[in-house]
Amino acid sequence: MSIAYGIGFICGLAFVFIAAFVFKKFFFRKKAVYDERQKIEQGKACKAGFYFLLVYCMLFGIADNVFDFRLTQLPVMLGGALISVMIYAVYCIWKEAYFPINQSSIKWIVLLIALGIVNVFIAVMNISTSPQSTVINGMCAVMILIISIVSIIKLIIVRRNCSEESET
């Protein structure tokens, strides 16, 4: 790694942290507040994601030793971690425990969609230069976009139920 690359990486990282700080200050001023029910559901989701990751790592370890896969370890293990995070997020979204009660879920959904699109863009840019990076960014993009789609579906269901209750 060259010195110029290292300096560019550090400057890029600093830019991301500063941009995230400014973004948070302007768009998410309120501190997230969750009620007791949401915290209980988040605990259940965390347990489900954790147990999935345990079983995934155990099964992959056994399969790798028995069948001697020649897979790169990083994408496979990261894939398990991403799936467990997705399990957590989808469970929380479905139980209405993912978004804080004092903040608009639409802001979060827009942010998730933007992050998914950025990951797709990065994956496409890396196709010719770095196949492993393409796989990792592609997996992240798929996970984030699935979480976004589930959030949109749940938002539509909640709004439809609210409109049906107000009609009766």
Side-chain angles (χ1 to χ4, degrees):
M1 178 169 73
S2 69
I3 293 174
Y5 180 82
I7 291 171
F9 180 78
I10 291 171
C11 290
L13 201 58
F15 174 77
V16 167
F17 280 120
I18 291 169
F21 178 77
V22 170
F23 186 79
K24 184 184 181 307
K25 281 290 184 190
F26 285 111
F27 292 106
F28 298 102
R29 293 182 182 149
K30 299 177 190 173
K31 184 176 178 184
V33 176
Y34 298 96
D35 62 9
E36 294 83 18
R37 181 197 58 81
Q38 286 178 311
K39 289 181 181 179
I40 290 169
E41 294 299 336
Q42 288 172 352
K44 290 177 185 177
C46 185
K47 188 166 49 171
F50 174 73
Y51 285 135
F52 170 81
L53 187 59
L54 280 177
V55 171
Y56 178 89
C57 288
M58 183 182 65
L59 291 177
F60 178 73
I62 292 169
D64 190 36
N65 284 330
V66 171
F67 299 112
D68 194 29
F69 292 132
R70 295 288 178 211
L71 298 173
T72 306
Q73 297 292 325
L74 180 64
V76 174
M77 286 295 109
L78 185 64
L82 291 176
I83 293 170
S84 66
V85 168
M86 191 171 58
I87 289 170
Y88 170 81
V90 169
Y91 184 92
C92 286
I93 290 167
W94 211 251
K95 297 291 185 172
E96 297 177 5
Y98 194 66
F99 302 112
I101 57 175
N102 65 334
Q103 294 179 2
S104 170
S105 62
I106 294 173
K107 283 184 192 178
W108 288 104
I109 293 170
V110 168
L111 181 63
L112 285 169
I113 292 170
L115 286 173
I117 291 170
V118 166
N119 272 296
V120 167
F121 182 70
I122 292 170
V124 169
M125 283 178 39
N126 289 332
I127 285 176
S128 62
T129 59
S130 175
Q132 185 173 353
S133 178
T134 301
V135 169
I136 291 170
N137 284 109
M139 289 188 312
C140 289
V142 168
M143 179 200 70
I144 293 170
L145 292 174
I146 287 173
I147 292 170
S148 303
I149 291 168
V150 170
S151 299
I152 292 168
I153 291 170
K154 185 62 178 177
L155 184 67
I156 291 169
I157 291 171
V158 167
R159 288 196 175 173
R160 194 173 286 161
N161 288 344
C162 288
S163 67
E164 288 175 2
E165 287 177 6
S166 64
E167 289 176 0
T168 57

